[in-house]
Every structure is written in structure tokens, then in C-alpha cells.
Amino acid sequence: MVPADKSRMTITGAAVDGIHQAEARLEQTANRLAKQTDSTEQAPDVVSLSDEVVSLLEARNAVTANVSVLHVADDIQKTLLNLLA
């Protein structure tokens, strides 16, 4: 999260926030799937496996995209340092 005194979000901060959001989506999906397979419940909730797979793929793609953003931000920073040095 960005501190209250910061008025702008950095590229790196946005990418890390995106990774955290994808991680939360992954955890929610895992919890829904684990709840479905829990045999202690009387009447388990119905879970659409296709919806859950789509959710898992979305989380994976979000992490991949945000990691790519982090790599690009690192390359930009290296280029700027080389130009200024």
C-alpha cells in the first residue's frame, strides 16, 4: 500500500499491488475448492470447477503481467542510471 503522504503510485508499487491482488484471488479460489472437498460439512456448496480454473488462470496471468512490469521498471531504472552516470 502507498503511504498517505504519497500522492502518486509508482510503477513498482502498482505492480506489487497487482501481485497482492492476484494472490488474494488465488487464496479465495483455493478456499472455495477446499471447502467443496471438506467432508465434515452436511451439505457442501456447489462449486463450478470451470469457473475456478478460469479464476486460477486469471490470477496466474495477473502475476505474470505484474512481474513483467517489475522487470521493465528495473530495465528503465538501469537505463536512467547509465544515462546519468
Side-chain angles (χ1 to χ4, degrees):
M1 289 190 63
V2 176
D5 61 340
K6 298 276 185 176
S7 61
R8 299 181 305 194
M9 173 71 85
T10 64
I11 293 171
T12 306
V16 170
D17 188 45
I19 291 171
H20 286 293
Q21 290 175 4
E23 182 181 23
R25 184 180 310 139
L26 177 64
E27 188 173 327
Q28 290 171 351
T29 302
N31 286 336
R32 283 193 302 267
L33 289 171
K35 188 177 180 181
Q36 175 65 22
T37 60
D38 187 6
S39 62
T40 61
E41 292 185 18
Q42 300 262 344
D45 292 335
V46 175
V47 175
S48 170
L49 292 179
S50 60
D51 290 343
E52 301 307 330
V53 168
V54 168
S55 181
L56 291 173
L57 291 173
E58 287 174 345
R60 182 196 65 185
N61 292 342
V63 169
T64 301
N66 283 297
V67 168
S68 294
V69 168
L70 288 173
H71 286 294
V72 169
D74 184 49
D75 290 343
I76 290 170
Q77 185 178 20
K78 287 177 186 176
T79 301
L80 287 173
L81 287 173
N82 286 335
L83 288 173
L84 297 174

